[in-house]
Structures are given as structure tokens and as C-alpha cells.
Amino acid sequence: MLTTVPAVRPQATLSYGELVDQVKRNGLYTTRAQAESVTRSVLAELGRQVTGDERVELAQRLPEEAAREFASQIPATTVLTGFGFVQHVAARTGTSLGAARWDTGSVLRAVARVAGPDLLGRLLARLPDGYALLFGQAQLTRPQAA
């Protein structure tokens, strides 16, 4: 199911340019073009992983251009672990795992600020292990059934 950006959206908390500037600062990228390319790549991969109400709500909170990149992706049938997510980013961008991990963290830390603590908590509850660190959060262990 393809989620589109709603025609009437709440006001995004920052502009697309401000989001890219945050990614540029987070990742210490030398150019804005590099930060924008990384932002697009990671948002596209994130759009393949997030489903349900959280997908719609995050698309509404992202700046319009970022929301289009995120929401235009068809969700994957299998949700990747955090490490698998980084592997996919590396494969799609032709970078090393280390560079993809850095890029992913740079973008997802900015997305975490846009999402806010409530939505971020719900996103992390729905995603497999390994995503919290990518969003700049502590990775807490989930209780195991006895």
C-alpha cells in the first residue's frame, strides 16, 4: 500500500532546507549537496520500513519535500533489523557499511527531532531491534516472555 502525503498537512516544524542543514551538521558533511543526497537515500529506505499510523504521522511532520521522498516508497514485505537497514542503505548508495551507518545516524537523528518523543517511541516499538541507536537513542532490551 502506497501512502501519499495528505493534501492538508499540519505545519512542519522545520523547512526541508533546515532538515538538510541539521543532517549536514550531524554528519559533518562538507557540502549541502552531500547532506541532501544522504537525506534522500535514508528517507527512501525508511519509507520502506515504516508502516501504519506512524508512517502517516511521520510523513505529516516531515517537511513536504522530505515527506514525498519518505511516503512515495512502497513498504517492504519484510522489515529489516537496524543492521539490515544499514546494509540496504550501503547497497543502494554504493558506500561502505561504516559510511552507511554514519549517514543513517546523521539523518535519523534529525528525523527523531522532527518526530518528537511520543511518535519516536511508537516508531521504535514497531521496528525490530537496532533502530534506537540509529535514531540516537539508547537501545533498551525488550522483556522476554517467561
Side-chain angles (χ1 to χ4, degrees):
M1 179 177 124
L2 187 62
T3 304
T4 59
V5 178
V8 178
R9 314 177 63 233
Q11 183 67 34
T13 57
L14 71 165
S15 71
Y16 181 71
E18 291 168 329
L19 177 68
V20 171
D21 288 343
Q22 279 188 8
V23 171
K24 185 175 184 266
R25 281 190 304 276
N26 289 346
L28 304 173
Y29 299 109
T30 55
T31 67
R32 190 171 191 285
Q34 185 181 15
E36 185 169 7
S37 174
V38 166
T39 300
R40 288 183 181 280
S41 297
V42 173
L43 284 174
E45 193 59 45
L46 186 63
R48 292 179 187 91
Q49 299 303 307
V50 177
T51 60
D53 292 340
E54 290 79 13
R55 179 182 176 88
V56 173
E57 193 171 337
L58 182 56
Q60 291 174 335
R61 292 185 187 192
L62 287 168
E64 189 171 349
E65 194 169 342
R68 272 190 259 125
E69 188 70 44
F70 168 77
S72 67
Q73 305 305 312
I74 297 171
T77 56
T78 304
V79 179
L80 301 170
T81 63
F83 180 66
F85 182 86
V86 171
Q87 288 177 310
H88 269 249
V89 170
R92 289 185 186 280
T93 60
T95 61
S96 69
L97 283 176
R101 169 58 181 93
W102 182 266
D103 294 345
T104 299
S106 299
V107 174
L108 294 185
R109 283 194 319 263
V111 169
R113 285 191 287 275
V114 170
D118 178 59
L119 177 55
L120 180 59
R122 289 185 284 130
L123 281 167
L124 292 175
R126 290 183 59 109
L127 291 168
D129 286 341
Y131 280 88
L133 292 174
L134 297 175
F135 280 98
Q137 305 294 303
Q139 177 71 54
L140 302 176
T141 58
R142 297 178 184 176
Q144 301 295 318

